[in-house]
């Protein structure tokens, strides 16, 4: 029998690759690559930084962007448990309404209002809640009146098809309407203060 001679020699990286396969280190490097590498910065939980014109943070180990609407989302989002009693807040309509007003679940609001009735403080509480509602309504009316004063009577709108439509204001006097709304707001404020 003749001895067979190896036709070519193994390169160092081939030998290293075989070593990695035998030791089951499949992802190990077999050579050195030269080129550009991005600077790596170690980030921790709660860090906030700006990159590519976006603000980033790490929450629960996940890299997330911070948007301008995050604070609004946080206000409107229903938590998993009630902050007051730590019971599960089921996603039903009364919990949503009560959390947006009182920052607690419906059951806690019922207990709170029952305790106020027992102590004789419910009428004052009810008056304050109505007062807040009226103040919000007045603010909305004032905003509408301001928007009405600023906008033109003939406005143009772009439809879904991309067409521009001009809408005329109809046959009402804008100044008269603004004056009537101002008088209405004044009468509501007088009723509210009495």
């Amino acid at each position: 029998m003749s001895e067979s001679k190896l036709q070519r020699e193994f390169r160092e990286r081939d030998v290293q690759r075989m070593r990695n396969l035998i030791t089951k280190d499949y992802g190990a490097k077999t050579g050195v690559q030269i080129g550009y590498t991005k600077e790596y910065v170690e980030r921790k939980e709660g860090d906030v930084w700006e990159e590519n014109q976006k603000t980033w943070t790490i929450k629960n180990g996940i890299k997330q962007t911070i948007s301008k609407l995050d604070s609004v989302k946080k206000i409107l989002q229903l938590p998993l448990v009630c902050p007051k009693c730590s019971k599960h807040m089921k996603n039903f309509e009364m919990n949503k309404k009560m959390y947006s007003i009182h920052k607690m679940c419906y059951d806690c609001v019922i207990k709170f209002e029952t305790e106020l009735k027992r102590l004789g403080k419910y009428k004052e509480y009810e008056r304050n809640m109505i007062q807040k509602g009226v103040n919000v309504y007045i603010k909305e009316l004032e905003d509408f009146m301001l928007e009405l004063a600023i906008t033109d009577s003939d406005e143009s709108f772009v439809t879904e098809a991309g067409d521009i439509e001009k809408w005329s204001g109809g046959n009402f006097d804008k100044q008269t309407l603004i004056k009537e709304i101002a008088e209405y707001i004044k009468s509501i404020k007088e009723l509210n203060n009495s």
Side-chain angles (χ1 to χ4, degrees), residues 54-142:
K54 284 187 176 181
T55 307
W56 297 85
T57 187
I58 296 181
K59 290 183 185 176
N60 300 324
I62 300 171
K63 181 179 169 183
Q64 299 176 354
T65 61
I66 299 175
S67 73
K68 296 174 185 174
L69 299 177
D70 279 347
S71 58
V72 175
K73 287 179 192 175
K74 197 171 191 175
I75 292 170
L76 298 176
Q77 190 175 24
L78 189 67
L80 294 175
V81 294
C82 174
K84 185 163 182 157
C85 67
S86 299
K87 290 182 183 174
H88 176 68
M89 282 187 72
K90 295 178 184 144
N91 195 9
F92 81 99
E93 203 59 39
M94 293 309 292
N95 273 344
K96 288 180 186 176
K97 286 182 181 179
M98 292 302 127
Y99 185 76
S100 68
I101 297 169
H102 300 284
K103 301 297 182 221
M104 60 179 106
C105 70
Y106 179 67
D107 293 336
C108 289
V109 172
I110 295 296
K111 289 176 187 172
F112 173 70
E113 289 180 350
T114 303
E115 183 64 21
L116 287 177
K117 286 179 183 177
R118 190 182 70 77
L119 296 173
K121 297 179 180 179
Y122 184 76
K123 290 288 183 191
E124 180 183 341
Y125 163 79
E126 184 180 36
R127 195 175 317 113
N128 288 338
M129 292 300 290
I130 292 171
Q131 178 84 26
K132 288 178 186 176
V134 170
N135 290 342
V136 169
Y137 179 63
I138 290 171
K139 175 77 172 114
E140 287 175 356
L141 280 175
E142 289 172 344

